Amino acid sequence: MIEGFTALYIFMLAAFTGYEVISRVPVILHTPLMSGSNFIHGIVLVGAMVALGHAESGLQMLIGFVGVILAAGNAVGGYVATERMLEMFDRSKSKGGA
Amino acid sequence: MSSFIEIVYFAAAVIFILGLKKMSSPVTARDGIVWAGYAMVAATVVTFFSPAVHGHGVFNLLLIVIAIAIGSYVAFKSAKSVEMTDMPQMIAIYNGMGGGAAAAIAAVELVRFAAGHDIGGGTVQLLAVLGALIGAISFSGSAVAYAKLQGLMKKTLRLPSHQALNISLFAITVLFGALLAFSGEVSGFTVFLFFLCALVLGVMVTLPIGGADMPVVISLFNALTGLAVAFEGYLLGNAAMIIAGTVVGSSGTLLTQLMAKAMNRPLSNILFSSFGSDSGTAQEEEIAGSMKEIEASDAAVTMAYADKVIIVPGYGMAVAQAQHKLAELVQLLEDRGVTVKFAIHPVAGRMPGHMNVLLAEAGIDYDKIYDLDEINPEFPTADVALVIGANDVVNPVARTNPDSPIYGMPILDADKAKNCIVIKRGKGAGFSGIENHLFYAENTRMLYGDAQKALGELIAGVKQL
């Protein structure tokens, strides 16, 4: 378990990190980037697995089950969409020979 | 085992941040997402061995595997087949799924709490409820955003005293939330009512927002989902979720601000008023001149004998799937020694960078693509500005008429080119419903028709020369 103030420090540092990392992104990558960060919060899958894993009643299992489906969709969909977009930048780069 | 799991989570969090960093340059962007992908797979696999997942029977494990299989299959299929023009709404839907998952985690925990389990109490419970609220709003709101962009929901719905209704709904939701967060004992029914209210709230908040503002809203929901994931991470004591969620939350907030700034629409305006609903109709300036039509063959000649052509592509070009035709035309012009540059407005397409993706798809080198600040000084030296399916982003009213709803929005100065050729489907006004004075200007010629067809005629015209 993560204690209160430790969590607060983690939260604060991560918030600054996110802000700094993004601030240097060129406009042309904004849409892939939004998609990419969308993929990264797909880590919610790990949490959904834990929730379903320790579910006990039928209701808990049902909600957990839906949760894992949604989380898996977030992660996989986010990845494939981002990868498809970035792949095109890759190809145009090699084609243009810049 | 459990410290090994922690190490993998830690590594995943680090790689997510490095991946995002790599995504900040076109050269390394692809590596960035692939790295993050490996990290995600690793984190998922080790979670199967976590005591929280492992210790409760084979049936739960089986359910997890089935659920992952279903979710992955559906998302994989849809993400592989979606057209690039429809990407914004797909991002919205995947993001909504993440928000829904965060809400579901909180729901499971709160139902457990209602059944008498201790889930941590105090701050933990408060953050779980907050995360649930944000996640549920993001879920149902993203669904509405999807429906709007996909064209399933054309009208912006605005109930009488919509704002007051939303505020009361919000107050009721918060009340239920507080009940869940602070009272020692809750019933399953309260949990149900809380989630119902939060979901309805997400719909109600998104309904009155117009399609043009939707990208900003999707970006905002993306940031919110990140935050919800971070809060649920705290509930489950999972540092990887806290870090990844927070990083997305803060970077998403920055991205949202950048987009809102590019559209010259303060975020509060987007969320709490609909575009041009109360102003803009009465204060239309009188337009001098008339629209002048041009034949495709004449337009082809103008461009073929130009020294410099600047192309301004808009969403209309993308809808007509004309980017490949456009690439062909560019090739022909360059073979004749014409310098061709692309001018991309920050919100061209449906989101910042969307148009770049579409052009990249057609194989147009991104060295030819310039953003607003780079290209605007070049318009006066251009012989032709070719505007394809763009409207509001080249409307000079944004510079000249303080009464216009788009006044102050940075625009591309296509009107300053020596000649301006506009390819447009019909004579109507644009997405925002504002008349475009560029179309009536002395040096502007209109080429009516679907972008795909018009570009085909231009190509034929240039080839004949």
Side-chain angles (χ1 to χ4, degrees), chain B residues 426-450:
Chain B
K427 298 189 181 182
F431 211 49
S432 60
I434 302 161
E435 279 289 354
N436 194 332
H437 288 227
L438 172 69
F439 300 165
Y440 297 88
E442 202 47 51
N443 57 345
T444 301
R445 295 291 177 274
M446 306 296 291
L447 179 55
Y448 291 112
D450 170 80

Side-chain angles (χ1 to χ4, degrees), chain A residues 15 22 28 31 54 83-84 98, chain B residues 30 79 109 250-251 352 356 367:
Chain A
I22 295 307
I28 63 160
T31 293
H54 66 200
E83 214 264 342
R84 269 186 67 193
Chain B
R30 179 117 189 263
E109 297 306 305
S250 66
S251 63
N356 304 77
D367 290 342

Side-chain angles (χ1 to χ4, degrees), chain A residues 18-64:
Chain A
Y19 209 87
E20 283 302 311
V21 165
I22 295 307
S23 62
R24 290 179 210 96
V25 175
V27 177
I28 63 160
L29 285 173
H30 274 180
T31 293
L33 179 80
M34 170 164 21
S35 183
S37 61
N38 177 32
F39 164 69
I40 283 171
H41 66 55
I43 190 70
V44 71
L45 175 58
V46 167
M49 288 168 72
V50 171
L52 176 55
H54 66 200
E56 281 157 2
S57 70
L59 179 63
Q60 291 169 23
M61 281 184 192
L62 178 68
I63 302 170

Side-chain angles (χ1 to χ4, degrees), chain B residues 150-409:
Chain B
Q150 191 69 16
L152 301 173
M153 194 186 285
K154 290 241 166 66
K155 285 176 70 179
T156 51
L157 185 77
R158 180 167 269 269
L159 301 173
S161 56
H162 198 107
Q163 224 47 262
L165 211 63
N166 276 1
I167 291 170
S168 8
L169 190 60
F170 180 71
I172 295 169
T173 317
V174 168
L175 199 73
F176 280 125
L179 215 60
L180 292 177
F182 296 118
S183 65
E185 223 175 302
V186 297
S187 72
F189 190 61
T190 320
V191 177
F192 171 75
L193 282 179
F194 167 71
F195 278 101
L196 188 68
C197 286
L199 288 173
V200 175
L201 187 61
V203 174
M204 290 289 287
V205 166
T206 322
L207 270 181
I209 300 171
D213 288 333
M214 219 33 104
V216 181
V217 176
I218 294 173
S219 174
L220 182 66
F221 283 144
N222 187 41
L224 286 178
T225 302
L227 202 59
V229 170
F231 287 164
E232 300 315 323
Y234 185 65
L235 167 70
L236 298 172
N238 186 317
M241 280 171 73
I242 299 179
I243 294 171
T246 310
V247 166
V248 173
S250 66
S251 63
T253 307
L254 178 61
L255 198 56
T256 311
Q257 282 170 350
L258 289 176
M259 283 192 205
K261 206 169 128 200
M263 300 171 82
N264 194 38
R265 301 264 291 143
L267 206 52
S268 55
N269 270 19
I270 292 172
L271 293 177
F272 303 119
S273 76
S274 63
F275 202 19
S277 64
D278 357 87
S279 65
T281 42
Q283 296 120 323
E284 276 289 343
E285 219 178 317
E286 278 297 310
I287 300 169
S290 61
M291 294 199 206
K292 292 164 281 290
E293 218 175 317
I294 190 172
E295 289 296 319
S297 50
D298 294 337
V301 172
T302 314
M303 292 203 304
Y305 289 101
D307 286 327
K308 185 153 107 184
V309 173
I310 298 178
I311 299 175
V312 181
Y315 191 66
M317 188 271 302
V319 170
Q321 296 286 327
Q323 55 268 42
H324 295 278
K325 276 270 186 332
L326 184 59
E328 198 184 332
L329 177 67
V330 170
Q331 192 60 51
L332 279 172
L333 289 175
E334 285 186 330
D335 291 346
R336 297 182 62 96
V338 182
T339 309
V340 181
K341 290 181 174 176
F342 284 87
I344 310 287
H345 192 270
V347 293
R350 281 289 156 93
M351 319 181 166
H354 189 201
M355 187 54 66
N356 304 77
V357 172
L358 296 170
L359 292 178
E361 189 192 14
I364 290 168
D365 196 333
Y366 58 67
D367 290 342
K368 293 194 197 92
I369 297 174
Y370 296 85
D371 64 24
L372 190 125
D373 296 332
E374 292 171 329
I375 200 80
N376 262 349
E378 291 204 33
F379 275 106
T381 68
D383 299 296
V384 180
L386 177 65
V387 178
I388 310 172
N391 191 341
D392 296 330
V393 299
V394 289
N395 193 344
V397 160
R399 280 198 314 257
T400 56
N401 181 4
D403 290 331
S404 172
I406 59 168
Y407 180 72
M409 180 174 93

